[in-house]
């Protein structure tokens, strides 16, 4: 059924996140670039979404579809690594240094599991080039999202990675569409200068009907650091009438868009910041220039106030948006990344979304 759905997506659109990722990896192989994917349950995918390797339940034989695209494509490796983030991430970092022409990806089972490899991030991934001139194009895939799963499976700790960002040492992204994720991975594979890429990948968006992309979104365009407002019910907002612009990143955009649509709100724009670092310091001002200077700017995040991207944005956004005030809507500051109760989570999430429009 998974393969049948993907065949249908390839023809009629509605491409979901997992298939968009497979398209990125497969097309990269066709371009002659080797791809190595490793992590905890990465062949199947933690959320049973990827199915990069298929296993015959009768014979136990394995088949890897994107490893058989043609006779001349580059090699693809997919490994389920041991549950030692420190060892596995360190190995993939080393592999990316030794084979700079390959696209090397390491995936955490949940984003916060990468904390077990914090030494690798601190000593090598974030600062290896600054200290030793040692470049790496390793990609970290960190599932992230405050979705009621409790404190230990919610946050990939965006704030920690952003705190280490300076001198264009790495790229931090939190994409909200499969097509933009596709173009991000392709850009990483094809770029001439090797820099680490940290991607906060989705969980619930993997199966959210609204989080799909058309075929045309894959066959044209490039990665977009900022996604402008998508309109309401197929109609673009009148920019002159916009009183507030909500800036956000990742999954919460869909909650904001759904609330706006359900309540017929047409004077609030939702702008998605897909690349958190390097800051989109030319793209974002261009998008915001479409709206009146009097429009209020609000950063909305589902993470607590002391986590997520807020501290980084509060420090850096004013530098290229002079004279514009920026306020925050989020959960209150917390010692824990998320509530331990599903009911509390839902109440908090609804409060954040409602406050963004009040």
């Amino acid at each position: 059924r998974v393969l049948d759905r993907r065949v249908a997506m390839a023809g009629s659109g509605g491409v979901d996140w997992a298939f968009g990722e497979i398209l990125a990896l497969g097309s990269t192989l066709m371009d002659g670039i080797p791809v190595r994917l490793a992590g905890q349950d990465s062949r199947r995918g933690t959320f049973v979404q990827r199915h990069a390797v298929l296993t015959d339940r009768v014979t136990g034989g394995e088949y890897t579809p994107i490893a058989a695209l043609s006779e001349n494509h580059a090699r693809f490796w997919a490994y389920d690594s041991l549950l030692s983030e420190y060892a596995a991430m360190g190995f993939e970092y080393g592999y990316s240094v030794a084979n700079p022409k390959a696209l090397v990806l390491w995936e955490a089972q949940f984003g916060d599991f990468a904390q077990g490899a914090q030494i690798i991030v601190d000593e090598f991934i974030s600062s290896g080039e600054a200290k030793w001139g040692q470049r790496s194009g390793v990609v970290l895939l960190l599932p992230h999202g405050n979705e009621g799963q409790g404190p230990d499976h919610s946050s990939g700790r965006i704030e920690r990675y952003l705190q280490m960002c300076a001198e264009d040492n790495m790229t931090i992204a939190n994409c909200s569409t499969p097509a933009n994720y596709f173009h991000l991975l392709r850009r990483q594979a094809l770029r001439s200068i090797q820099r680490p890429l940290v991607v906060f990948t989705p969980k619930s968006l993997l199966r959210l009907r609204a989080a799909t992309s058309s075929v045309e979104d894959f066959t044209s365009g490039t990665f977009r650091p900022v996604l402008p407002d998508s309109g309401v019910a197929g109609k673009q907002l009148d920019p002159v009438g916009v009183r507030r612009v909500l800036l956000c990143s990742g999954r919460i955009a869909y909650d904001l868009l759904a609330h706006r649509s359900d309540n017929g709100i047409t004077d609030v724009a939702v702008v998605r910041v897909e690349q958190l670092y390097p800051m989109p310091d030319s793209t974002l001002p261009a998008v915001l220039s479409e709206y009146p200077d009097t429009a209020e700017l609000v950063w909305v995040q589902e993470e607590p106030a002391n986590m997520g991207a807020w501290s980084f944005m509060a420090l850096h956004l004013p530098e290229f948006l002079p004279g514009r005030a920026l306020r925050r809507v989020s959960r209150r500051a917390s010692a824990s990344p998320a509530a331990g109760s599903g009911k509390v989570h839902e109440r908090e999430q609804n409060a954040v979304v409602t406050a963004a429009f009040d």
Side-chain angles (χ1 to χ4, degrees):
R1 289 185 293 176
V2 171
L3 298 182
D4 289 341
R5 285 199 300 269
R6 290 180 177 177
V7 169
M9 291 176 198
S12 59
V15 177
D16 65 16
W17 200 276
F19 189 37
E21 180 186 67
I22 290 293
L23 292 174
L25 301 184
S27 60
T28 298
L29 294 172
M30 296 294 287
D31 285 335
I33 299 172
V35 176
R36 178 184 170 91
L37 171 66
Q40 300 153 347
D41 204 9
S42 287
R43 300 199 305 170
R44 181 193 67 166
T46 295
F47 310 102
V48 197
Q49 85 283 2
R50 180 174 291 122
H51 301 288
V53 179
L54 307 177
T55 303
D56 188 311
R57 64 181 181 180
V58 176
T59 67
E62 294 183 347
Y63 176 65
T64 306
I66 62 171
L69 296 175
S70 74
E71 296 180 356
N72 301 318
H73 68 71
R75 292 189 64 184
F76 174 70
W77 300 274
Y79 299 105
D80 291 333
S81 66
L82 73 165
L83 294 178
S84 170
E85 293 82 8
Y86 176 75
M89 187 192 294
F91 184 89
E92 301 309 323
Y93 171 82
Y95 190 97
S96 71
V97 172
N99 189 0
K101 294 182 179 180
L103 177 63
V104 181
L105 309 100
W106 178 82
E107 182 179 50
Q109 199 161 29
F110 290 92
D112 52 354
F113 286 18
Q115 295 176 75
Q118 196 65 47
I119 295 174
I120 301 298
V121 176
D122 293 349
E123 294 295 326
F124 298 95
I125 292 177
S126 67
S127 59
E129 182 178 359
K131 291 189 292 189
W132 311 303
Q134 180 168 284
R135 290 183 173 177
S136 163
V138 70
V139 180
L140 304 185
L141 304 178
L142 308 180
H144 172 86
N146 203 321
E147 300 171 2
Q149 293 179 302
D152 294 328
H153 295 89
S154 295
S155 177
R157 296 290 189 173
I158 290 176
E159 65 280 357
R160 292 183 179 175
Y161 293 88
L162 288 175
Q163 187 182 45
M164 293 182 280
C165 288
E167 303 175 306
D168 290 338
N169 61 329
M170 54 185 175
T171 301
I172 311 293
N174 189 18
C175 297
S176 61
T177 72
N180 220 24
Y181 179 51
F182 166 89
H183 289 298
L184 175 67
L185 292 179
R186 295 265 307 156
R187 185 184 72 171
Q188 181 72 5
L190 296 169
R191 69 191 314 175
S192 57
I193 298 178
Q194 299 296 307
R195 297 278 166 74
L197 168 64
V198 180
V199 188
F200 293 93
T201 54
K203 296 178 290 182
S204 64
L205 295 192
L206 295 170
R207 292 175 174 84
L208 182 66
R209 188 176 296 274
T212 59
S213 300
S214 68
V215 173
E216 292 73 21
D217 291 335
F218 293 88
T219 58
S220 62
T222 59
F223 173 69
R224 304 170 74 186
V226 178
L227 294 182
D229 190 272
S230 57
V232 179
K235 296 180 61 177
Q236 293 299 313
L237 298 181
D238 176 9
V240 177
V242 170
R243 64 178 176 85
R244 179 179 299 166
V245 179
L246 304 180
L247 301 173
C248 62
S249 187
R251 193 200 68 82
I252 197 171
Y254 290 96
D255 288 348
L256 297 173
L257 293 171
H259 181 88
R260 185 178 69 174
S261 177
D262 292 345
N263 291 275
I265 299 171
T266 59
D267 59 355
V268 177
V270 178
V271 174
R272 292 176 258 184
V273 182
E274 304 275 288
Q275 179 174 294
L276 299 171
Y277 186 84
M279 291 285 288
D281 51 7
S282 60
T283 311
L284 184 56
V287 171
L288 295 179
S289 68
E290 299 179 7
Y291 305 109
D293 291 339
T294 55
E296 182 185 18
L297 298 182
V298 181
W299 179 263
V300 186
Q301 64 178 37
E302 58 189 2
E303 299 87 358
N306 57 322
M307 301 178 193
W310 164 245
S311 297
F312 187 83
M313 290 297 168
L315 177 64
H316 293 282
L317 274 179
E319 294 182 10
F320 57 90
L321 296 174
R324 303 292 299 271
L326 178 70
R327 71 177 179 91
R328 166 191 53 82
V329 171
S330 72
R331 286 171 167 79
R332 63 178 178 81
S334 171
S336 171
S341 163
K343 292 183 178 179
V344 172
H345 159 78
E346 186 174 353
R347 184 168 65 247
E348 291 177 344
Q349 191 75 4
N350 290 337
V352 169
V353 173
T354 301
F357 291 90
D358 288 345

